[in-house]
Structures are given as structure tokens and as C-alpha cells.
Amino acid sequence: MIHTPSTSPALQTIAEKVANQIRITDQDCQLLFEEASLGFVGTLANQIRERKHGNRVYFNRNFHIEPTNVCVFSCQFCAYSRLYANREEGWELSIEQMLHLVKKYDGIPVTEVHIVGGVHPKMNLTFFKDLLAAIKGHRPDLHIKAFTAVEFDYMFRKAGLSIEEGLKILIEAGLDSIPGGGAEIFHPDIREKICKDKVDGSGWLAIHETAHQLGIPSNATMLYGHIESFSHRVDHMSRLRSLQDRTGGFNTFIPLKFRNKDNDMSNVPESSLIEDMRMYAIARIYLDNFSHLKAYWPMLGRQNAQLALSFGVDDIDGTIDDSTKIYSMAGSEEQSPTLTTSELVNLIRQAGKTPIERDTLYNVINDFSTPAN
Ligand code: V47
Ligand code: SF4
């Protein structure tokens, strides 16, 4: 038990729940955000992390494809998209160009391609079905993690299909899992202000729930540290925890730190490092039914991601090639977000942890527990 003179009885009760593996309530979570020190939540989160994963930290070898940065939506925090009206400033890749990017990795032991981009009105369901089929045709063993719920919502609506019908077509073509983007903050009071024209919170959750029912796992994100309050974070994580109770289909939760450069929310200050670490730790404590908590280092910065490994995080995203533009454009420290596998392994080792290369589904590909690896 953690006992310091400044710890209130209510916080002590939360510490006891964690020690006894009892789920904390939404009210407990709110209290942690409002009152708990970084040291307090960090100790609890570490306890949970060690129970679940010991000293292991996972990463995967993946690469990204961004089909377009042209987008019909206008999220206030987005530094990446070009409005459809200004599309001459943007890029749009053909299937051949994207297949060429995949072929650049021939002979390189990547296990996953992550495909996500803006919502371009001309890139429809048929286009993406053909893209997935072309990639699978070339490299059947490559796991395709593709499209946010925002992209699905738009493409299925345009095709006049239900979520289930649309997903089945893409699964048949080669879709293996779904990344966590587009979640932002589910609560309508905040969503209305930062991304009012794209799929709402219930729509995002419905797409992930249907995917899980069809056997497709997914991730979940939360864009935090802007105009939301602690209660909106609790509401967001509460909806995710309930869905996970029903389906068990989420692999990982990924808190995404809001970055304020070159977007319509540049006047909003960024969260402090202490608040970032508290965010990770509280997520680890609250989301008891999520196996993994990921720090996305291109967004957070590699040193801060390394620090997050001591606050509940057990996963640090893949080795990423330099076509990942969305984060550097919003002001992340990582202007050229690339890390080689050995750099990533060293980064994990420096934090005193054991690097484990995984595939998308957390099967172990390579155990780096001995320096020889
Ligand atoms: O939904 C956009 C975020 C997300 C900003 O599932 C911003 O493995 C901070 O979800 N400041 C897309 N964040 C990326 C994403 C993701 C990334 C890595 C791994 C996985 C996974 C998913 O990027 C968007 C939005 O929340 N984003 N602009 C910004 N200014
Ligand atoms: Fe479009 Fe996504 Fe940017 Fe929103 S966050 S404007 S949906 S690319």
C-alpha cells in the first residue's frame, strides 16, 4: 500500500482496489485526475503494468502509407489535411504508387502496413478494396491495419452500405485490423467544437463494435490536452471500457497528446510533461480490460515516450519510415520521425526494460532480452 501523509482516504481506497485487482469507478478516475500526484498514479500504474507484462516493452516493425492529405472535413486540430477546395496543395496516390511503396519493403522483415489518410471524396470503397487486394496479392503475409472509423463512415455512407456490409467487403479484400484514430474526444460538447463535421462518438464506437463482432481487432485513441476537461476524458475512457467489456476486441489504448503548431487551435497551450505522464498512468489504472497501453513516440517525442515506460506504458509504436507527416506538421519534436530497430531497442533498454518485437496481434516475433539479439 502507498501511504504518504498527503494521501487522502479516498485515494488510499483506490490504491487498495488496485492492489486487490478491483476495478476503479468513473468517480475514482475523476478523483485521480483532480487530486492524485504523479508519484501516486505512477506507482499504481507500474504495479499494474508489471502484473500484466513484467519488464517487457513491445514494438513492431511497420511502415505507413498515407493515400492522400486531401480531406472533406476540417478538424480544428489538424495541421495535415488540405481542404478539398485547395486540393492542388495536397497529394493523392494511385494504387500503383502505393503498391510501389509496399514493394520498397520487399525483403525487409516488416510485419504490418498502417494505412490512414484524409477523406478524399473520389477515393471510394471500390478504390480501397482494390488497394487492399493489390497489397495482399503482392505480399499476403503483411498485416494490413487500415482506415479510421472516420474514413469507413464516409466510404460506406457514399456506397449506400451498412457498416457490416462495408466492412465485409474490405475484410474479404484483405483488411486485418483497424487503427485507433478519429476517436478524439467522444463527448458531443467537445466534439462539436473541435471536429463537428465527422462521425460522432457513437458512430465511431458502432464501427469498432461491428468490426470486433466480425473478428477484426482494433485500437482506440484519445486526443487529450486541449479544451477538454477531466470529466470528458473519463467519459471517453468509460465508453471504451464498456465496449471492451462487450467485445474484447481492442488491442491497445493510445492517448495522443494534442500538439498546437500550424492548426486552428494554435492558441491552445499544450499539456505539461507531468500531465502527459499522469494521463498515461491514469489510463493504465482505469482501463483494466485493455491489455496494452501505447506511447506513440512520433507524437510525444522519443525521450518522453521512454519516460512513459515508467508510467504504465508497455508498447512503443513501430519503426516508422519518413512518410509519416501528420505529426511533424502539427509541431511534434520529431521533425523526421524515423527510428531504426536498433535505435528503438536501445531506447527501451536505456529505460531498463526488455524489448520484445511483436506483430500487430502481440505475438512475439523476436525477444531482445539478451544483448546478442
Ligand atoms: O485521429 C491529428 C491525431 C490521429 C493532431 O492505432 C493529432 O496503432 C495530436 O490515431 N495533435 C490519427 N494529435 C493517428 C492515430 C494513430 C497513430 C499511431 C498509431 C495508431 C494505432 C493510431 O492523430 C487523429 C488525431 O487524433 N492528430 N492532429 C494534433 N495536432
Ligand atoms: Fe481530415 Fe482526419 Fe485531419 Fe480531420 S483529422 S481534417 S478527418 S485528415
Side-chain angles (χ1 to χ4, degrees), residues 50-111:
E50 278 175 11
R51 204 184 287 143
K52 284 184 186 284
H53 304 293
N55 212 29
R56 294 185 292 282
V57 171
Y58 300 93
F59 70 95
N60 66 341
R61 283 192 223 209
N62 66 3
F63 65 101
H64 287 225
I65 295 180
E66 295 168 15
T68 181
N69 67 344
V70 172
C71 191
V72 295
F73 298 123
S74 42
C75 304
Q76 300 295 296
F77 50 81
C78 185
Y80 159 87
S81 70
R82 292 293 167 266
L83 285 178
Y84 188 57
N86 304 325
R87 59 192 179 279
E88 63 282 357
E89 294 171 23
W91 76 82
E92 336 176 349
L93 302 181
S94 65
I95 292 180
E96 291 67 34
Q97 285 171 315
M98 289 189 264
L99 195 57
H100 179 69
L101 293 177
V102 173
K103 288 179 178 168
K104 277 175 42 186
Y105 291 87
D106 283 356
I108 299 174
V110 288
T111 58

Side-chain angles (χ1 to χ4, degrees), residues 98-370:
M98 289 189 264
L99 195 57
H100 179 69
L101 293 177
V102 173
K103 288 179 178 168
K104 277 175 42 186
Y105 291 87
D106 283 356
I108 299 174
V110 288
T111 58
E112 174 190 286
V113 56
H114 179 163
I115 308 174
V116 70
V119 176
H120 191 303
K122 297 221 169 104
M123 291 182 170
N124 59 18
L125 181 65
T126 308
F127 177 85
F128 287 121
K129 172 175 77 72
D130 292 345
L131 171 67
L132 299 186
I135 295 173
K136 280 286 172 187
H138 177 70
R139 192 163 171 176
D141 61 321
L142 189 64
H143 180 108
I144 303 181
K145 181 173 82 180
F147 313 126
T148 66
V150 176
E151 295 165 279
F152 288 127
D153 176 65
Y154 187 85
M155 68 176 106
F156 298 164
R157 233 181 253 267
K158 260 204 134 164
L161 296 176
S162 67
I163 300 171
E164 185 174 338
E165 290 165 335
L167 280 175
K168 280 184 168 163
I169 290 171
L170 294 175
I171 294 167
E172 172 74 22
L175 180 75
D176 293 304
S177 72
I178 298 179
E184 324 310 358
I185 288 285
F186 293 142
H187 197 287
D189 290 353
I190 300 299
R191 211 166 177 88
E192 173 66 23
K193 293 190 178 117
I194 63 170
C195 56
K196 65 169 186 245
D197 48 3
K198 69 185 185 187
V199 67
D200 64 11
S202 312
W204 190 99
L205 290 159
I207 288 169
H208 283 253
E209 182 154 15
T210 309
H212 297 173
Q213 284 159 352
L214 294 173
I216 294 293
S218 69
N219 291 336
T221 58
M222 175 170 75
L223 181 69
Y224 74 91
H226 43 90
I227 59 166
E228 88 289 3
S229 64
F230 291 146
S231 65
H232 298 120
R233 296 187 196 178
V234 177
D235 173 75
H236 189 95
M237 293 197 292
S238 175
R239 296 189 204 205
L240 291 173
R241 192 168 78 169
S242 303
L243 174 51
Q244 181 75 332
D245 277 342
R246 291 200 295 282
T247 66
F250 286 118
N251 279 333
T252 315
F253 180 59
I254 314 162
L256 293 171
K257 175 190 175 79
F258 164 69
R259 308 304 305 239
N260 69 4
K261 190 161 159 264
D262 291 335
N263 57 36
D264 291 340
M265 291 169 70
S266 295
N267 57 321
V268 177
E270 292 181 358
S271 54
S272 67
L273 180 57
I274 298 228
E275 196 48 36
D276 295 334
M277 296 304 123
R278 268 172 28 93
M279 179 65 240
Y280 283 106
I282 295 171
R284 183 59 289 170
I285 296 164
Y286 179 80
L287 292 172
D288 59 341
N289 56 1
F290 275 67
S291 293
H292 301 283
L293 181 65
K294 186 193 282 192
Y296 189 55
W297 65 262
M299 191 80 264
L300 193 61
R302 58 192 82 180
Q303 291 195 339
N304 294 347
Q306 200 177 28
L307 187 63
L309 302 179
S310 299
F311 291 91
V313 168
D314 66 279
D315 187 6
I316 196 157
D317 203 75
T319 48
I320 296 178
D321 88 342
D322 60 8
S323 64
T324 307
K325 298 188 183 70
I326 190 164
Y327 305 100
S328 50
M329 290 173 87
S332 145
E333 286 160 52
E334 308 292 340
Q335 291 304 315
S336 171
T338 52
L339 267 184
T340 63
T341 301
S342 70
E343 284 169 329
L344 203 55
V345 163
N346 285 340
L347 193 130
I348 295 168
R349 283 204 179 119
Q350 279 167 7
K353 308 284 184 210
T354 305
I356 304 283
E357 184 187 344
R358 61 166 176 87
D359 66 11
T360 311
L361 305 177
Y362 290 84
N363 298 304
V364 175
I365 301 287
N366 208 342
D367 182 340
F368 287 82
S369 53
T370 52

